[in-house]
């Protein structure tokens, strides 16, 4: 991948992270916050994958895979928790 594509992709991911943070701050309820956090996790995973490719370091990609697994499990657990009505539901 040429740097003509890589540098704008890194800049675009960074700008999307800022936008995702604003969405997270303005979330009206817990479910919107959960979706915003999931979106931020996906953006960080893609940013780590781009960094792994650009610096030719496999450790960034390993961190991206670990974050993807943790994000998936936490999203499922939180959705199940919210779906049951909380701890007493």
């Amino acid at each position: 991948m040429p740097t003509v594509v890589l540098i704008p992709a890194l800049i675009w991911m960074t700008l999307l992270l800022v936008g995702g943070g604003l969405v997270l701050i303005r979330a009206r309820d817990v479910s919107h916050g959960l979706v915003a956090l999931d979106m931020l996790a996906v953006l960080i995973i893609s940013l780590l994958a781009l960094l792994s490719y650009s610096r030719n370091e496999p450790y960034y990609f390993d961190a991206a895979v670990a974050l993807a697994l943790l994000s998936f499990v936490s999203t499922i657990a939180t959705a199940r928790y919210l779906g049951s009505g909380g701890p007493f539901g």
Side-chain angles (χ1 to χ4, degrees):
M1 183 181 319
T3 57
V4 175
V5 175
L6 188 64
I7 299 300
L10 288 170
I11 292 171
W12 183 243
M13 285 297 140
T14 306
L15 290 174
L16 286 174
L17 276 172
V18 171
L22 292 174
V23 168
L24 179 63
I25 291 171
R26 296 180 53 103
R28 295 185 180 203
D29 58 353
V30 179
S31 61
H32 288 168
L34 177 65
V35 171
L37 276 175
D38 200 32
M39 177 185 66
L40 284 174
V42 168
L43 290 173
I44 291 172
I45 290 165
S46 62
L47 188 61
L48 283 170
L50 284 172
L51 283 173
S52 174
Y53 179 79
S54 69
R55 295 186 179 185
N56 200 16
E57 291 286 337
Y59 302 112
Y60 290 118
F61 191 72
D62 293 342
V65 170
L67 180 61
L69 291 171
L70 287 173
S71 174
F72 175 73
V73 170
S74 66
T75 300
I76 296 298
T78 308
R80 182 173 239 194
Y81 175 77
L82 291 175
S84 69
F88 305 112

